Amino acid sequence: MNNGLYVVATPIGNLDDISKRALEVLTQADVIACEDTRVTRKLFALLSLDANKPFITYQDHNEEQQAQKLIDLINEGKALALVSDAGSPLISDPGYKLVRKCREQGVKVWTVPGCCAVISALQLSGLPTNRFMFAGFIPNKEKAREDLFKELCSLNSTLVFYETAQRIVKTLGVAQKYFQNREIAVAREITKLYEECLNGTAEELIQHFENNQPKGEMVLMVAPPNEPSASEIDVETLLKEKLKNMTLKSAVKEIADTYHLNKNNVYELALKLKNDQL
């Protein structure tokens, strides 16, 4: 096994989701860098891997100090596997600074892909996935939570957050204020026995969790803002504004793409407006 850094995804619930390649890398790696050695040793035991090899803690609190030490081990000829407590490393987990330092110093980095709660939740939700933004863990403090939702509420993307069961009802209350009647999905216990994904408005989901005690790690997703219907769009006014600073072709393309309109119809109206101005 070549020396270098191997970024290894581990299961988020179901142990059978570990990949054959991940098992090979974890078996052969000389050193395991992880968030919590107790959690990772337990995972190794469950997977019948050697839990006695060197485990080094690498987390938010010590990543600056540890990164160079880990790179030094690699430069000594070691193969280092980086794992998180569950799922894909670097997704709201420490690690990117280590990867960045490795690349700066010419240390080889490999990815060993696998489970990721963000992607799995989106697959369950049925919400649009052509454009999404992962915003990480929702802040615990009320003002920070409101500031985050206020910042993102106008973004034309599906929004994805991590949240805990203890705070989900309070968070949905804030979501109701900023996202109003947009569709929201909450996925929980992904890949586990009680996996479920609930869709509805914030109000409907609040009612559900008030009647059914929320449990497990959760992924909260918010659908993009509702697009106005074609009848609600004043295409003529939009064209007049765009044609002041853009070519006819560019104005037509931008408006048709932005509002999902028939390009030929927009082009015909643009031609008419231009001819009327002559």
Side-chain angles (χ1 to χ4, degrees), residues 184-205:
I184 294 177
V186 175
R188 57 178 291 274
E189 295 291 272
I190 299 173
T191 77
K192 299 178 184 178
L193 181 62
Y194 297 106
E195 173 185 277
E196 68 174 355
C197 185
L198 304 165
N199 290 54
T201 63
E203 183 179 5
E204 290 168 341
L205 292 174

